[in-house]
Amino acid sequence: MDLRLDGKVALVTGASGGLGRHFAGVLAAAGATVVLAARRTEKLAEAVEEIGPGRAHAVPLDVTDPTSVTAAFEAAEAATGAVVDVLVNNAGLAKTAPALETSPQDWRTVLDTNLTGAFHVATEAAARMKAAGRAGSIVNIASIVGLRPAGAVASYAASKAGLIHLTKALALELARDDVRVNALAPGYIETDINAAFFATDAGQKLIKRIPQRRLGRMSDLDAPLLMLCSDASAFMTGAVVPVDGGHLVSSL
Ligand code: NAD
């Protein structure tokens, strides 16, 4: 079993903070040359410095803009001298509101980013892997909410359910080209952004509904991510891997 990524180029979208920044560090530690992609590259400078110049590169990317997606892959190839072998499709956002109070604009923003954006990035990556005749691994960062709904996040849940089905459709179409497409479906993972909420009564109540009675740590995702990115999962494609402390199997 080989979880190493030596000699591979990995691109992570939405890498300026949160899970994306963490994933870039994990992939670099496994030996990959990483390309951190985000709308504001100035926010990536520190991460590139920390990972190590030469082993990390920053490229501008707005996943909702197909022209920006193509330009990001061109910049990644120019910086690394190679085609991207591993894509972590991580960029995403949520708008919290009951379905009947979700504006058309918010619905579009969530779907444009989490589903259509992920489609643009995955197909751009796969086309380049295929043209270069290289095996590739695409990991879409979904959510357990794409498998089982939660209240007040209908747009997010629909986008992640769509991303899970897109994962399977792309896996089917790309299998013969040796491009694997899988999804990682995290449960509730503590990050800087949600830490304050989980400290509240409502947050604590939510944690009590998770069978393991705790939030996920970013590090809980490391091994599953490396498994899906590396040759360790050579015979896996179209799979959805939940990492959620048992949240999906919580008691009805
Ligand atoms: P986050 O908000 O810290 O990170 C999301 C990143 O995506 C940000 O850097 C943001 O700038 C970027 N992004 C948003 N729109 C973009 C666009 N148009 N183009 C390029 N980048 C864009 O949140 P996070 O918690 O780190 O989430 C990362 C991914 O993990 C998301 O897809 C999210 O849905 C998923 N996820 C997170 C959790 C969790 O508990 N934190 C659970 C399940 C799934």
Side-chain angles (χ1 to χ4, degrees), residues 119-175:
F119 171 75
H120 292 318
V121 180
T123 50
E124 181 76 37
R128 287 167 187 269
M129 291 165 182
K130 186 174 167 177
R134 285 181 73 89
S137 173
I138 295 173
V139 179
N140 293 323
I141 307 301
S143 164
I144 55 168
V145 173
L147 292 163
R148 188 176 152 182
V153 283
S155 57
Y156 182 74
S159 73
K160 294 296 188 179
L163 181 59
I164 286 169
H165 214 65
L166 175 64
T167 299
K168 297 176 186 182
L170 291 177
L172 173 63
E173 288 196 30
L174 296 168

Tab-separated table of all heavy atoms in Angstrom, residues 119-175:
chain	number	residue	atom	x	y	z
A	119	PHE	N	-17.638	21.065	-11.448
A	119	PHE	CA	-17.704	20.437	-12.780
A	119	PHE	C	-16.657	21.043	-13.711
A	119	PHE	O	-15.919	20.326	-14.388
A	119	PHE	CB	-19.119	20.609	-13.360
A	119	PHE	CG	-19.234	20.194	-14.796
A	119	PHE	CD1	-19.253	18.855	-15.151
A	119	PHE	CD2	-19.296	21.148	-15.808
A	119	PHE	CE1	-19.347	18.471	-16.491
A	119	PHE	CE2	-19.383	20.774	-17.136
A	119	PHE	CZ	-19.410	19.429	-17.478
A	120	HIS	N	-16.599	22.406	-13.748
A	120	HIS	CA	-15.610	23.062	-14.620
A	120	HIS	C	-14.202	22.597	-14.274
A	120	HIS	O	-13.402	22.283	-15.154
A	120	HIS	CB	-15.641	24.591	-14.426
A	120	HIS	CG	-16.880	25.253	-14.915
A	120	HIS	ND1	-17.487	24.918	-16.089
A	120	HIS	CD2	-17.617	26.277	-14.378
A	120	HIS	CE1	-18.560	25.688	-16.259
A	120	HIS	NE2	-18.661	26.509	-15.225
A	121	VAL	N	-13.891	22.572	-12.981
A	121	VAL	CA	-12.515	22.258	-12.559
A	121	VAL	C	-12.199	20.791	-12.842
A	121	VAL	O	-11.136	20.459	-13.365
A	121	VAL	CB	-12.300	22.598	-11.063
A	121	VAL	CG1	-10.879	22.264	-10.639
A	121	VAL	CG2	-12.581	24.082	-10.802
A	122	ALA	N	-13.137	19.910	-12.514
A	122	ALA	CA	-12.887	18.469	-12.720
A	122	ALA	C	-12.715	18.148	-14.202
A	122	ALA	O	-11.822	17.369	-14.578
A	122	ALA	CB	-14.031	17.650	-12.127
A	123	THR	N	-13.554	18.734	-15.056
A	123	THR	CA	-13.449	18.403	-16.483
A	123	THR	C	-12.189	19.004	-17.100
A	123	THR	O	-11.564	18.400	-17.971
A	123	THR	CB	-14.720	18.838	-17.255
A	123	THR	OG1	-15.023	20.199	-16.945
A	123	THR	CG2	-15.900	17.958	-16.901
A	124	GLU	N	-11.810	20.200	-16.640
A	124	GLU	CA	-10.549	20.801	-17.140
A	124	GLU	C	-9.369	19.897	-16.752
A	124	GLU	O	-8.493	19.608	-17.574
A	124	GLU	CB	-10.373	22.192	-16.524
A	124	GLU	CG	-9.135	22.936	-16.980
A	124	GLU	CD	-9.258	23.511	-18.389
A	124	GLU	OE1	-10.352	23.964	-18.759
A	124	GLU	OE2	-8.248	23.491	-19.127
A	125	ALA	N	-9.360	19.451	-15.501
A	125	ALA	CA	-8.270	18.584	-15.034
A	125	ALA	C	-8.258	17.271	-15.810
A	125	ALA	O	-7.199	16.826	-16.287
A	125	ALA	CB	-8.426	18.303	-13.537
A	126	ALA	N	-9.423	16.663	-15.947
A	126	ALA	CA	-9.497	15.349	-16.602
A	126	ALA	C	-9.090	15.431	-18.066
A	126	ALA	O	-8.395	14.535	-18.580
A	126	ALA	CB	-10.916	14.793	-16.468
A	127	ALA	N	-9.495	16.503	-18.739
A	127	ALA	CA	-9.131	16.648	-20.160
A	127	ALA	C	-7.623	16.717	-20.312
A	127	ALA	O	-7.042	16.139	-21.243
A	127	ALA	CB	-9.789	17.909	-20.735
A	128	ARG	N	-6.965	17.414	-19.389
A	128	ARG	CA	-5.500	17.545	-19.471
A	128	ARG	C	-4.806	16.228	-19.113
A	128	ARG	O	-3.793	15.867	-19.708
A	128	ARG	CB	-5.028	18.686	-18.560
A	128	ARG	CG	-5.374	20.038	-19.141
A	128	ARG	CD	-5.218	21.178	-18.159
A	128	ARG	NE	-5.723	22.410	-18.743
A	128	ARG	CZ	-4.993	23.278	-19.450
A	128	ARG	NH1	-3.710	23.075	-19.595
A	128	ARG	NH2	-5.556	24.348	-19.982
A	129	MET	N	-5.330	15.506	-18.121
A	129	MET	CA	-4.763	14.196	-17.764
A	129	MET	C	-4.874	13.256	-18.968
A	129	MET	O	-3.919	12.563	-19.337
A	129	MET	CB	-5.524	13.597	-16.574
A	129	MET	CG	-5.316	14.314	-15.255
A	129	MET	SD	-6.581	13.802	-14.038
A	129	MET	CE	-6.149	14.828	-12.633
A	130	LYS	N	-6.054	13.254	-19.569
A	130	LYS	CA	-6.322	12.364	-20.704
A	130	LYS	C	-5.414	12.715	-21.891
A	130	LYS	O	-4.793	11.830	-22.491
A	130	LYS	CB	-7.806	12.508	-21.082
A	130	LYS	CG	-8.278	11.561	-22.139
A	130	LYS	CD	-9.778	11.684	-22.338
A	130	LYS	CE	-10.172	10.959	-23.616
A	130	LYS	NZ	-11.616	10.962	-23.842
A	131	ALA	N	-5.311	14.012	-22.207
A	131	ALA	CA	-4.482	14.431	-23.354
A	131	ALA	C	-3.018	14.060	-23.131
A	131	ALA	O	-2.298	13.723	-24.081
A	131	ALA	CB	-4.621	15.940	-23.570
A	132	ALA	N	-2.577	14.103	-21.876
A	132	ALA	CA	-1.178	13.784	-21.579
A	132	ALA	C	-0.965	12.284	-21.415
A	132	ALA	O	0.170	11.822	-21.239
A	132	ALA	CB	-0.746	14.511	-20.302
A	133	GLY	N	-2.066	11.511	-21.431
A	133	GLY	CA	-1.961	10.062	-21.248
A	133	GLY	C	-1.497	9.691	-19.857
A	133	GLY	O	-0.832	8.673	-19.651
A	134	ARG	N	-1.836	10.510	-18.879
A	134	ARG	CA	-1.392	10.247	-17.497
A	134	ARG	C	-2.561	9.791	-16.641
A	134	ARG	O	-3.683	10.293	-16.777
A	134	ARG	CB	-0.819	11.531	-16.887
A	134	ARG	CG	0.566	11.861	-17.423
A	134	ARG	CD	1.093	13.119	-16.777
A	134	ARG	NE	1.498	12.926	-15.393
A	134	ARG	CZ	2.710	12.557	-15.020
A	134	ARG	NH1	3.625	12.311	-15.922
A	134	ARG	NH2	3.018	12.429	-13.748
A	135	ALA	N	-2.283	8.882	-15.736
A	135	ALA	CA	-3.298	8.470	-14.767
A	135	ALA	C	-3.555	9.647	-13.840
A	135	ALA	O	-2.651	10.435	-13.563
A	135	ALA	CB	-2.795	7.278	-13.965
A	136	GLY	N	-4.788	9.770	-13.384
A	136	GLY	CA	-5.087	10.886	-12.494
A	136	GLY	C	-6.082	10.509	-11.425
A	136	GLY	O	-6.788	9.495	-11.534
A	137	SER	N	-6.097	11.330	-10.382
A	137	SER	CA	-7.078	11.128	-9.311
A	137	SER	C	-7.747	12.454	-8.991
A	137	SER	O	-7.067	13.452	-8.708
A	137	SER	CB	-6.390	10.582	-8.051
A	137	SER	OG	-7.326	10.549	-6.981
A	138	ILE	N	-9.066	12.440	-9.047
A	138	ILE	CA	-9.848	13.633	-8.706
A	138	ILE	C	-10.632	13.309	-7.447
A	138	ILE	O	-11.321	12.279	-7.373
A	138	ILE	CB	-10.792	14.003	-9.866
A	138	ILE	CG1	-9.972	14.415	-11.095
A	138	ILE	CG2	-11.767	15.118	-9.449
A	138	ILE	CD1	-10.780	14.642	-12.359
A	139	VAL	N	-10.501	14.168	-6.439
A	139	VAL	CA	-11.232	13.968	-5.187
A	139	VAL	C	-12.133	15.181	-4.973
A	139	VAL	O	-11.653	16.310	-4.807
A	139	VAL	CB	-10.266	13.792	-3.991
A	139	VAL	CG1	-11.068	13.599	-2.709
A	139	VAL	CG2	-9.346	12.600	-4.228
A	140	ASN	N	-13.413	14.938	-5.033
A	140	ASN	CA	-14.383	16.008	-4.812
A	140	ASN	C	-14.734	16.056	-3.328
A	140	ASN	O	-15.084	15.026	-2.728
A	140	ASN	CB	-15.646	15.759	-5.643
A	140	ASN	CG	-15.377	15.870	-7.131
A	140	ASN	OD1	-14.596	16.707	-7.565
A	140	ASN	ND2	-16.007	15.008	-7.927
A	141	ILE	N	-14.647	17.246	-2.722
A	141	ILE	CA	-14.976	17.367	-1.312
A	141	ILE	C	-16.472	17.647	-1.200
A	141	ILE	O	-16.947	18.765	-1.473
A	141	ILE	CB	-14.144	18.473	-0.617
A	141	ILE	CG1	-12.634	18.243	-0.865
A	141	ILE	CG2	-14.465	18.493	0.880
A	141	ILE	CD1	-12.082	16.892	-0.377
A	142	ALA	N	-17.215	16.598	-0.857
A	142	ALA	CA	-18.671	16.701	-0.754
A	142	ALA	C	-19.014	17.011	0.699
A	142	ALA	O	-18.392	17.857	1.347
A	142	ALA	CB	-19.309	15.405	-1.238
A	143	SER	N	-20.009	16.346	1.241
A	143	SER	CA	-20.425	16.548	2.644
A	143	SER	C	-21.440	15.461	2.955
A	143	SER	O	-22.169	14.996	2.064
A	143	SER	CB	-21.088	17.917	2.800
A	143	SER	OG	-21.800	17.977	4.026
A	144	ILE	N	-21.539	15.098	4.241
A	144	ILE	CA	-22.587	14.137	4.605
A	144	ILE	C	-23.972	14.723	4.337
A	144	ILE	O	-24.940	13.983	4.152
A	144	ILE	CB	-22.480	13.672	6.075
A	144	ILE	CG1	-22.479	14.844	7.060
A	144	ILE	CG2	-21.294	12.759	6.259
A	144	ILE	CD1	-22.670	14.426	8.517
A	145	VAL	N	-24.047	16.055	4.267
A	145	VAL	CA	-25.341	16.702	3.975
A	145	VAL	C	-25.786	16.425	2.527
A	145	VAL	O	-26.949	16.596	2.185
A	145	VAL	CB	-25.227	18.212	4.300
A	145	VAL	CG1	-26.453	18.972	3.870
A	145	VAL	CG2	-25.002	18.401	5.800
A	146	GLY	N	-24.859	15.969	1.706
A	146	GLY	CA	-25.212	15.541	0.355
A	146	GLY	C	-25.788	14.142	0.326
A	146	GLY	O	-26.293	13.680	-0.702
A	147	LEU	N	-25.714	13.442	1.446
A	147	LEU	CA	-26.240	12.077	1.538
A	147	LEU	C	-27.486	12.004	2.403
A	147	LEU	O	-28.307	11.096	2.269
A	147	LEU	CB	-25.166	11.150	2.129
A	147	LEU	CG	-23.942	10.925	1.225
A	147	LEU	CD1	-22.767	10.358	2.015
A	147	LEU	CD2	-24.289	9.997	0.070
A	148	ARG	N	-27.613	12.952	3.324
A	148	ARG	CA	-28.760	12.989	4.224
A	148	ARG	C	-28.966	14.450	4.623
A	148	ARG	O	-28.014	15.104	5.053
A	148	ARG	CB	-28.437	12.138	5.459
A	148	ARG	CG	-29.591	11.940	6.387
A	148	ARG	CD	-29.211	11.000	7.529
A	148	ARG	NE	-30.010	11.335	8.689
A	148	ARG	CZ	-29.905	10.740	9.865
A	148	ARG	NH1	-29.018	9.764	10.049
A	148	ARG	NH2	-30.662	11.100	10.873
A	149	PRO	N	-30.176	14.996	4.455
A	149	PRO	CA	-30.326	16.450	4.608
A	149	PRO	C	-30.294	16.922	6.051
A	149	PRO	O	-30.524	16.175	6.992
A	149	PRO	CB	-31.699	16.730	3.996
A	149	PRO	CG	-32.440	15.450	4.138
A	149	PRO	CD	-31.432	14.351	4.051
A	150	ALA	N	-29.984	18.204	6.187
A	150	ALA	CA	-30.067	18.890	7.473
A	150	ALA	C	-30.924	20.132	7.239
A	150	ALA	O	-31.122	20.559	6.096
A	150	ALA	CB	-28.672	19.286	7.945
A	151	GLY	N	-31.437	20.714	8.326
A	151	GLY	CA	-32.324	21.871	8.181
A	151	GLY	C	-31.568	23.122	7.763
A	151	GLY	O	-30.400	23.304	8.103
A	152	ALA	N	-32.258	23.972	7.023
A	152	ALA	CA	-31.796	25.325	6.682
A	152	ALA	C	-30.546	25.372	5.787
A	152	ALA	O	-29.854	26.392	5.741
A	152	ALA	CB	-31.559	26.149	7.960
A	153	VAL	N	-30.285	24.277	5.095
A	153	VAL	CA	-29.170	24.302	4.127
A	153	VAL	C	-29.573	23.589	2.828
A	153	VAL	O	-28.787	22.841	2.249
A	153	VAL	CB	-27.869	23.672	4.685
A	153	VAL	CG1	-27.150	24.607	5.634
A	153	VAL	CG2	-28.134	22.317	5.327
A	154	ALA	N	-30.812	23.850	2.367
A	154	ALA	CA	-31.307	23.115	1.194
A	154	ALA	C	-30.407	23.321	-0.020
A	154	ALA	O	-30.109	22.368	-0.755
A	154	ALA	CB	-32.738	23.544	0.874
A	155	SER	N	-29.970	24.558	-0.254
A	155	SER	CA	-29.139	24.810	-1.445
A	155	SER	C	-27.813	24.057	-1.321
A	155	SER	O	-27.349	23.433	-2.285
A	155	SER	CB	-28.898	26.313	-1.634
A	155	SER	OG	-28.301	26.873	-0.473
A	156	TYR	N	-27.232	24.105	-0.146
A	156	TYR	CA	-25.943	23.420	0.089
A	156	TYR	C	-26.125	21.906	-0.057
A	156	TYR	O	-25.341	21.224	-0.727
A	156	TYR	CB	-25.454	23.777	1.489
A	156	TYR	CG	-24.118	23.190	1.871
A	156	TYR	CD1	-22.936	23.688	1.333
A	156	TYR	CD2	-24.025	22.149	2.790
A	156	TYR	CE1	-21.696	23.157	1.699
A	156	TYR	CE2	-22.797	21.623	3.167
A	156	TYR	CZ	-21.633	22.127	2.613
A	156	TYR	OH	-20.418	21.599	2.984
A	157	ALA	N	-27.181	21.369	0.562
A	157	ALA	CA	-27.427	19.924	0.508
A	157	ALA	C	-27.640	19.473	-0.939
A	157	ALA	O	-27.091	18.443	-1.371
A	157	ALA	CB	-28.638	19.564	1.370
A	158	ALA	N	-28.420	20.256	-1.698
A	158	ALA	CA	-28.671	19.897	-3.099
A	158	ALA	C	-27.378	19.961	-3.905
A	158	ALA	O	-27.106	19.096	-4.750
A	158	ALA	CB	-29.725	20.830	-3.689
A	159	SER	N	-26.557	20.976	-3.624
A	159	SER	CA	-25.304	21.107	-4.383
A	159	SER	C	-24.379	19.926	-4.096
A	159	SER	O	-23.720	19.403	-5.001
A	159	SER	CB	-24.601	22.426	-4.053
A	159	SER	OG	-24.018	22.393	-2.751
A	160	LYS	N	-24.312	19.487	-2.841
A	160	LYS	CA	-23.401	18.397	-2.490
A	160	LYS	C	-23.952	17.045	-2.968
A	160	LYS	O	-23.181	16.152	-3.335
A	160	LYS	CB	-23.131	18.383	-0.986
A	160	LYS	CG	-22.362	19.617	-0.484
A	160	LYS	CD	-20.956	19.712	-1.074
A	160	LYS	CE	-20.150	20.827	-0.427
A	160	LYS	NZ	-18.776	20.924	-0.956
A	161	ALA	N	-25.276	16.900	-2.959
A	161	ALA	CA	-25.866	15.680	-3.534
A	161	ALA	C	-25.558	15.626	-5.026
A	161	ALA	O	-25.218	14.564	-5.575
A	161	ALA	CB	-27.373	15.656	-3.286
A	162	GLY	N	-25.672	16.788	-5.684
A	162	GLY	CA	-25.327	16.859	-7.107
A	162	GLY	C	-23.860	16.525	-7.335
A	162	GLY	O	-23.505	15.805	-8.281
A	163	LEU	N	-23.002	17.007	-6.456
A	163	LEU	CA	-21.564	16.745	-6.598
A	163	LEU	C	-21.272	15.250	-6.434
A	163	LEU	O	-20.411	14.697	-7.130
A	163	LEU	CB	-20.795	17.566	-5.553
A	163	LEU	CG	-19.273	17.446	-5.564
A	163	LEU	CD1	-18.680	17.869	-6.912
A	163	LEU	CD2	-18.660	18.276	-4.437
A	164	ILE	N	-21.997	14.602	-5.552
A	164	ILE	CA	-21.809	13.158	-5.358
A	164	ILE	C	-22.234	12.397	-6.619
A	164	ILE	O	-21.540	11.491	-7.087
A	164	ILE	CB	-22.570	12.694	-4.099
A	164	ILE	CG1	-21.807	13.162	-2.849
A	164	ILE	CG2	-22.788	11.179	-4.093
A	164	ILE	CD1	-22.554	13.025	-1.545
A	165	HIS	N	-23.338	12.785	-7.209
A	165	HIS	CA	-23.760	12.093	-8.429
A	165	HIS	C	-22.834	12.435	-9.598
A	165	HIS	O	-22.552	11.580	-10.445
A	165	HIS	CB	-25.217	12.422	-8.744
A	165	HIS	CG	-25.933	11.262	-9.377
A	165	HIS	ND1	-26.158	10.068	-8.716
A	165	HIS	CD2	-26.425	11.084	-10.625
A	165	HIS	CE1	-26.764	9.229	-9.531
A	165	HIS	NE2	-26.930	9.824	-10.704
A	166	LEU	N	-22.361	13.675	-9.638
A	166	LEU	CA	-21.387	14.061	-10.663
A	166	LEU	C	-20.119	13.211	-10.530
A	166	LEU	O	-19.538	12.771	-11.538
A	166	LEU	CB	-21.045	15.544	-10.523
A	166	LEU	CG	-19.942	16.076	-11.455
A	166	LEU	CD1	-20.366	15.985	-12.917
A	166	LEU	CD2	-19.583	17.518	-11.097
A	167	THR	N	-19.713	12.963	-9.309
A	167	THR	CA	-18.532	12.122	-9.048
A	167	THR	C	-18.709	10.757	-9.716
A	167	THR	O	-17.806	10.248	-10.391
A	167	THR	CB	-18.362	11.942	-7.520
A	167	THR	OG1	-18.165	13.224	-6.929
A	167	THR	CG2	-17.206	11.027	-7.185
A	168	LYS	N	-19.895	10.180	-9.531
A	168	LYS	CA	-20.144	8.845	-10.087
A	168	LYS	C	-20.204	8.881	-11.619
A	168	LYS	O	-19.681	7.995	-12.294
A	168	LYS	CB	-21.442	8.286	-9.501
A	168	LYS	CG	-21.349	8.087	-7.988
A	168	LYS	CD	-22.672	7.635	-7.404
A	168	LYS	CE	-22.570	7.592	-5.877
A	168	LYS	NZ	-23.795	7.114	-5.245
A	169	ALA	N	-20.858	9.925	-12.150
A	169	ALA	CA	-20.976	10.040	-13.615
A	169	ALA	C	-19.597	10.215	-14.250
A	169	ALA	O	-19.286	9.593	-15.273
A	169	ALA	CB	-21.885	11.222	-13.963
A	170	LEU	N	-18.753	11.056	-13.649
A	170	LEU	CA	-17.409	11.258	-14.199
A	170	LEU	C	-16.560	10.000	-14.041
A	170	LEU	O	-15.773	9.655	-14.932
A	170	LEU	CB	-16.721	12.441	-13.500
A	170	LEU	CG	-17.294	13.833	-13.792
A	170	LEU	CD1	-16.554	14.882	-12.960
A	170	LEU	CD2	-17.184	14.174	-15.282
A	171	ALA	N	-16.730	9.304	-12.921
A	171	ALA	CA	-15.970	8.068	-12.704
A	171	ALA	C	-16.270	7.068	-13.815
A	171	ALA	O	-15.367	6.422	-14.365
A	171	ALA	CB	-16.316	7.471	-11.339
A	172	LEU	N	-17.531	6.958	-14.160
A	172	LEU	CA	-17.946	6.037	-15.214
A	172	LEU	C	-17.314	6.425	-16.552
A	172	LEU	O	-16.737	5.596	-17.256
A	172	LEU	CB	-19.478	6.052	-15.315
A	172	LEU	CG	-20.092	5.276	-16.473
A	172	LEU	CD1	-19.774	3.791	-16.343
A	172	LEU	CD2	-21.594	5.505	-16.520
A	173	GLU	N	-17.399	7.714	-16.877
A	173	GLU	CA	-16.911	8.153	-18.191
A	173	GLU	C	-15.395	8.121	-18.310
A	173	GLU	O	-14.862	7.980	-19.399
A	173	GLU	CB	-17.409	9.578	-18.490
A	173	GLU	CG	-18.891	9.627	-18.794
A	173	GLU	CD	-19.303	10.937	-19.460
A	173	GLU	OE1	-18.474	11.542	-20.174
A	173	GLU	OE2	-20.451	11.352	-19.253
A	174	LEU	N	-14.693	8.283	-17.202
A	174	LEU	CA	-13.238	8.458	-17.277
A	174	LEU	C	-12.435	7.215	-16.885
A	174	LEU	O	-11.205	7.225	-16.963
A	174	LEU	CB	-12.813	9.639	-16.383
A	174	LEU	CG	-13.362	10.998	-16.834
A	174	LEU	CD1	-13.155	12.045	-15.746
A	174	LEU	CD2	-12.681	11.440	-18.131
A	175	ALA	N	-13.127	6.153	-16.488
A	175	ALA	CA	-12.413	4.970	-15.972
A	175	ALA	C	-11.423	4.406	-16.991
A	175	ALA	O	-10.294	4.052	-16.653
A	175	ALA	CB	-13.411	3.904	-15.544
